[in-house]
Each structure stands twice: as C-alpha cells, then as structure tokens.
Amino acid sequence: MIVLKAPQDQVLGALQAVSGIVERRHTLPILANVLIRKTGNQVELTTSDLEIQVRTTVQFDGDAGNLSTTVGARKLIDILRSMPADQTVSLTSNQNKMTLQGGKSRFTLQTLPADDFPLVQEAADFGPAFSVPQKALKGLINQVHFAMAVHDIRYYLNGILFVAEGKNLTLVATDGHRLALAQAELDTDIPKQEVILPRKTVLELQRLLKDGKDDDAIEMRFAGNQAKFSFSGMEFVTKLVEGKFPDYNRVIPKNHKFRLTLGRAPLLSSLQRAAILTSEKFKAVRLTFEPGLLSIASSNAEQEEAKEEIEIDYGGDKIETGFNVTYLMDALGNMSQDMVCIDLNDSASSALLTIPDTTGFKYVVMPMRI
C-alpha cells in the first residue's frame, strides 16, 4: 500500500513538526517511532514521550484504504533531509516494513505495531477553551525562557509559570538566581489559570509557534494536571508540573534609589568581551557605576584581566557590584529594543532590568560576591 506520495519538503515539514520531542535513545524503543494513521488521503502523524504528545494531520496522495503503523522518526527525517526538496517521495507499507522511495533512491525501514504505541492518556474533563495570538505567546516565551532552571531538584523551577486572568497573560521563569517576567494585554478576557508548563513543553512551543500574523491563534485548554494546545493544524497535549511556584512579586525589587538608561547593544558587546576572560566556574564580572561612567571588569585564575568602560547618564552614588555575566547577556540578548533601564539600590541588592516606556518586561538578577 502507498501510504503517501508528496513533495519531499511537505513530508519532511510534517514529520519535523511532530518529532521535536522524540528522543533518539529511550527505554521504550517504540517511542523513537512516529505513529502513522492513514484514513484515505488523510494521514495523521503522532509522537509521544509519555508526558508530551504531538499530533498533526495532513492530506497526501496515496492508495485508498486505512493503515496504522509506526516507523523510526529520526531515521525517516534524516533520509528525507538528504533528498532534493522538489523531489516527489513515496512511503509504501508492506507487512512489517516501510519503504521510502525518491528518484532512484530506495530505503527500507523496520516498523513496529501501532497497537504497541503508548499514547498519552488524556484528561476526561478539560476546562473551557480560550485563544491567544500565537505571535503574542511566542513573544512572551522568547522573553523569559532562558531563565528556566535545568534539572533543578526544585522541580517546579524547571518550567514556566503561566498566569492568565482577565485580559492579562503573564509568563514567569526563575532558576533561583535570576527571574524573568513578561506580560501582555490581550483583546479578550481569559479564564483564570495558573499552571506551570514543563521546560520541554516550553521549548517545543517556542519552536512550533508562528510569529507572523496576529490572527494565527493558539487554542488552550487546561485540566488538573494536563494542558492541551491546538494551533496550525496541530494538537499538543502535555503534563503540567505540580508544585508551588515561588511568589514572584516578592522577588521583584521595588523603590530603587538609582536608575540609569543606556544602550542595550553597547552594553551587551562590552559584557561579551569581558566574558572572554571570566573564570569558567563563576563567570563573574564586576560592574562599577559612578557619575558619568560604567566600568566592567573581569579576571580569571591565570591572572588575566579585561576592562571595559561605557559613558552613561548617571549622577548617583558610586556602586560596585558583581554579577554572573551569562545572566546579564541572556537577558540583553533576548531583547530587541535599543535601550535598557537598570535600577539599583546598593552593591548587595538585586538589579532590575526593564525596557523604557514598557511595563510588560522585568528581569531580576541577584548579585555575586567577588
């Protein structure tokens, strides 16, 4: 049976859309496969890692009839990538084999039964559906994703807090050393939600969401421990992280004594140069704020040193403080604005980075002792 017949780029695009969550090595070999369900000319592709499930449905030419099977997702993608984009390819199923043909190339792959594929058990009762523009959600994720923890024992930090209420949508991420908050005001009211999306889910949404037209919406529904997203012909089901996220409002410092506004790009460039001579372990830079001047200094165990100076519009007290340079570069590198505001109290206090004339972004970074 010819499962599908289509241009290489269309088949590859559909497979890549669902295969981001597939691990090359897994305790269950079948989870390295993509589940293919064919109903007439409609082909449904599904992948799972037991906690996240991604599905897309596409129309391809092929034989009439129905079929369900699974085949190695990464192998299929690697083969398709090696073929010309405008070449017509076909997938043919015969017993426990799948044959991919294109031009004079032919590849035969092993399949595993579709009945053995472990689909995610979806919640019986999801809450009300609501939609937000894909562009808005992707923009918020881009502003906070870098502050998520990685494999932290405090599992609730390995993700993003998603808070929806009224017309406000807020995303917060923290690893305990820094915190990023991004907020957008939407055109419609949203049912009140407060959930923690897992890190892998966040990164996959960031990859899949479109940032084009504002009318490309993502529909969301939440259950007790699950979320379901529908967008761009795809369905995305994920487990949620259970636990209590820190009170982010207490972390964000208020009533700073000193504020300065300076160019984002010059500051980022100076930090990137200073970072070259930081120690591998601590990545520390010393920032000295004094009237009219910001000095950035770094050193390492080999007694090598770097020093940068930037003229600034600042007339407050002299403040000498230290930060992890990576934390500062992450925030500045994920902004697109020309200017950045830095609020400070003293050398022992957190710094607050914001964007001038914008209330929707806050970034807090804890100081380091140098």
Side-chain angles (χ1 to χ4, degrees), residues 121-128 221-228:
Q121 188 69 39
E122 293 188 25
D125 184 26
F126 279 95
R221 300 179 71 192
F222 294 94
N225 65 342
Q226 269 187 352
K228 182 187 282 189

Side-chain angles (χ1 to χ4, degrees), residues 177-191:
H177 304 287
R178 50 167 169 183
L179 179 145
L181 178 150
Q183 191 172 66
E185 188 171 332
L186 306 173
D187 295 332
T188 55
D189 282 344
I190 310 172

Side-chain angles (χ1 to χ4, degrees), residues 244-302:
K244 179 67 176 171
F245 200 83
D247 183 355
Y248 57 91
N249 284 311
R250 288 181 58 190
V251 175
I252 298 171
K254 299 169 181 66
N255 304 318
H256 282 92
K257 294 178 184 175
F258 308 111
R259 164 172 287 196
L260 64 147
T261 303
L262 68 163
R264 180 190 65 86
L267 176 58
L268 178 57
S269 296
S270 292
L271 289 168
Q272 287 169 334
R273 290 190 292 269
I276 297 168
L277 295 187
T278 56
S279 71
E280 284 294 321
K281 187 175 182 181
F282 297 110
K283 291 289 182 184
V285 290
R286 181 183 290 106
L287 273 58
T288 304
F289 299 87
E290 49 192 325
L293 190 68
L294 166 61
S295 300
I296 301 169
S298 64
S299 59
N300 57 31
E302 287 77 38

Side-chain angles (χ1 to χ4, degrees), residues 21-272:
I21 63 169
V22 175
E23 309 284 353
R24 285 190 183 270
R25 293 176 181 171
H26 207 288
T27 49
L28 282 176
I30 198 167
L31 289 178
N33 287 11
V34 55
L35 172 63
I36 301 175
R37 282 179 171 159
K38 171 180 164 59
T39 309
N41 285 344
Q42 184 171 284
V43 177
E44 185 182 88
L45 304 173
T46 306
T47 57
S48 169
D49 70 354
L50 298 181
E51 296 195 346
I52 304 171
Q53 181 174 291
V54 186
R55 175 178 292 144
T56 188
T57 304
V58 281
Q59 296 286 335
F60 289 131
D61 290 336
D63 289 343
N66 303 337
L67 173 81
S68 292
T69 188
T70 79
V71 67
R74 297 289 183 190
K75 289 177 184 174
L76 211 50
I77 286 173
D78 288 346
I79 294 168
L80 284 165
R81 275 184 180 147
S82 69
M83 294 178 162
D86 57 352
Q87 187 175 75
T88 297
V89 299
S90 64
L91 266 182
T92 308
S93 177
N94 184 17
Q95 294 179 336
N96 62 341
K97 302 284 187 186
M98 181 82 75
T99 302
L100 173 62
Q101 284 184 278
K104 295 185 179 180
S105 302
R106 179 187 176 98
F107 304 85
T108 302
L109 302 173
Q110 186 75 34
T111 62
L112 291 171
D115 290 344
D116 295 345
F117 192 85
L119 294 168
V120 170
Q121 188 69 39
E122 293 188 25
D125 184 26
F126 279 95
F130 62 95
S131 298
V132 301
Q134 289 189 46
K135 183 177 180 179
L137 181 58
K138 184 167 186 172
L140 294 178
I141 291 174
N142 287 343
Q143 288 182 292
V144 302
H145 72 95
F146 55 86
M148 289 187 292
V150 183
H151 303 308
D152 197 294
I153 192 169
R154 298 161 295 180
Y155 54 90
Y156 48 83
L157 299 184
N158 300 317
I160 279 181
L161 179 68
F162 178 104
V163 183
E165 187 170 11
K167 286 186 167 64
N168 288 326
L169 178 58
T170 305
L171 268 59
V172 188
T174 180
D175 60 6
H177 304 287
R178 50 167 169 183
L179 179 145
L181 178 150
Q183 191 172 66
E185 188 171 332
L186 306 173
D187 295 332
T188 55
D189 282 344
I190 310 172
K192 186 172 181 180
Q193 305 285 347
E194 188 166 325
V195 299
I196 304 173
L197 301 177
R199 177 184 176 84
K200 190 172 180 180
T201 297
V202 171
L203 298 178
E204 197 60 17
L205 285 173
Q206 186 182 27
R207 183 179 77 87
L208 294 171
L209 289 171
K210 296 177 180 176
D211 53 8
K213 297 182 295 183
D214 282 338
D215 55 357
D216 284 335
I218 173 170
E219 183 184 274
M220 309 184 193
R221 300 179 71 192
F222 294 94
N225 65 342
Q226 269 187 352
K228 182 187 282 189
F229 306 108
S230 302
F231 58 99
S232 304
M234 301 187 67
E235 184 183 270
F236 191 109
V237 178
T238 176
K239 279 188 178 179
L240 298 172
V241 179
E242 297 181 22
K244 179 67 176 171
F245 200 83
D247 183 355
Y248 57 91
N249 284 311
R250 288 181 58 190
V251 175
I252 298 171
K254 299 169 181 66
N255 304 318
H256 282 92
K257 294 178 184 175
F258 308 111
R259 164 172 287 196
L260 64 147
T261 303
L262 68 163
R264 180 190 65 86
L267 176 58
L268 178 57
S269 296
S270 292
L271 289 168
Q272 287 169 334

